[in-house]
Amino acid sequence: MSFGQGGPFDGPGGSSSSTPDWGALAEESEAQTRRKRLLWIGGGALAALAVAGIVTVAVLSGGGGSAGGNPTASPAESGQAAAPDDKPSFPDVSVPPPPNPRDYISDPKKDTAPLTPATLFAQKSMVVGEHTYPRTHTATTKDCTAGAQGPLVSSLSHNGCKQLLRATYAKGGVAVTIGIAVFDSPAKATKVMNENRANLMPLPGGGVPADFCQGTKCRMATNATGRYAYFTIAGYLNGKDVTNTETKARQIARDGGAYAFSQITQRGKDQAAKVAEQQLKEAQKKAGKS
């Protein structure tokens, strides 16, 4: 093996260099390899220790717990400003469920609003769909029999009628008188309806002649809702009999019944709405104090 120029050779005629010690070279190479391995292992351990130190510093500076498990100081304790709470708070307003309007036309203890022709027949005209009929006259009586005739007198009396309110509407040669009778319970009103004695006394005045539906054939009907029974009697202003084929008297009779029903139910809605409004005010006031 040659080591290049200037290697261990004698001049011409001299003896050749001795053979290299291959065992020593092998031991030296193995020793170098072990040293390199130790350096890599030692370097990796130092790097791991450095990373662990960085992580520990980051955790401590980020507000995490200390090595002993004790929490670090809060921002307020360390002198830092606490983050503001951006979520607004609202008081808990608990409102009862809305009242049922039907309760206020069924229970005399709840049905306490004023009950007069001015409140029950407040509009100057009866409007039902596309039909409009001016009001001609109104009346009310505690003696229900005074506004009835024929079999209806005994029906109202026996079932304890408390008040009878009437209103008449007329247009185009026909008219209708609506009667609304008040009872202590829905059962009494329903009983009067089922007896079907719809002989309401017509209410003349304001252009409706005194003999309106007196001695002539007129259309009569009865119905009930809540503690109210209501009646209609409709016919011609000139005394003409109402027949099964004519339409004008039949139309105003149907409109009169629909209007009576709507006025009674509206009474219940108005009273229920008033109570609901009061409940809301009381709940808001209570929430304001809490």
Side-chain angles (χ1 to χ4, degrees):
M1 179 176 181
S2 172
F3 286 90
Q5 294 181 354
F9 289 96
D10 291 337
S15 64
S16 63
S17 61
S18 60
T19 303
D21 189 349
W22 299 109
L25 291 175
E27 290 179 0
E28 183 180 355
S29 176
E30 185 177 352
Q32 290 179 354
T33 301
R34 285 197 300 270
R35 284 197 297 271
K36 290 181 179 179
R37 186 181 298 114
L38 290 174
L39 287 175
W40 278 108
I41 295 173
L46 290 174
L49 289 174
V51 171
I54 294 172
V55 172
T56 302
V57 172
V59 170
L60 291 176
S61 63
S66 63
N70 296 324
T72 59
S74 65
E77 293 172 351
S78 62
Q80 300 177 7
D85 187 1
D86 294 334
K87 296 181 179 180
S89 59
F90 298 97
D92 183 14
V93 180
S94 180
V95 182
N100 185 350
R102 187 166 182 81
D103 292 343
Y104 291 85
I105 58 172
S106 300
D107 187 351
K109 294 180 180 179
K110 293 183 177 181
D111 191 8
T112 58
L115 184 58
T116 66
T119 61
L120 200 56
F121 307 113
Q123 297 81 12
K124 292 183 178 180
S125 295
M126 174 177 70
V127 180
V128 180
E130 298 179 353
H131 305 137
T132 300
Y133 309 92
R135 189 186 62 208
T136 60
H137 196 40
T138 62
T140 183
T141 177
K142 298 290 184 180
D143 180 10
C144 299
T145 61
Q149 56 185 349
L152 183 58
V153 172
S154 61
S155 181
L156 295 177
S157 178
H158 292 160
N159 288 286
C161 178
K162 300 299 181 182
Q163 186 178 358
L164 179 63
L165 302 97
R166 289 180 295 164
T168 299
Y169 301 86
K171 184 179 181 181
V174 293
V176 61
T177 295
I178 300 170
I180 297 179
V182 188
F183 298 87
D184 283 336
S185 68
K188 293 291 184 67
T190 301
K191 185 178 179 182
V192 170
M193 176 189 69
N194 291 335
E195 290 177 356
N196 197 25
R197 299 172 180 175
N199 301 89
L200 183 69
M201 178 73 74
L203 181 65
V208 176
D211 61 351
F212 169 62
C213 282
Q214 296 291 329
T216 59
K217 293 181 180 180
C218 288
R219 180 169 294 274
M220 297 181 293
T222 180
N223 214 319
T225 183
R227 68 187 189 109
Y228 297 85
Y230 55 97
F231 316 89
T232 57
I233 181 167
Y236 287 94
L237 298 177
N238 61 5
K240 175 184 175 182
D241 288 339
V242 176
T243 65
N244 292 330
T245 58
E246 61 80 32
T247 58
K248 292 181 65 176
R250 295 173 63 186
Q251 183 64 60
I252 197 172
R254 286 194 297 268
D255 290 343
Y259 186 71
F261 175 80
S262 68
Q263 294 303 100
I264 297 169
T265 54
Q266 187 61 49
R267 176 179 173 83
K269 292 177 182 178
D270 291 342
Q271 293 183 90
K274 186 176 180 180
V275 172
E277 182 180 1
Q278 183 62 33
Q279 289 176 343
L280 178 59
K281 289 180 179 180
E282 292 176 355
Q284 290 174 336
K285 184 178 180 181
K286 183 178 180 181
K289 291 180 179 181
S290 61

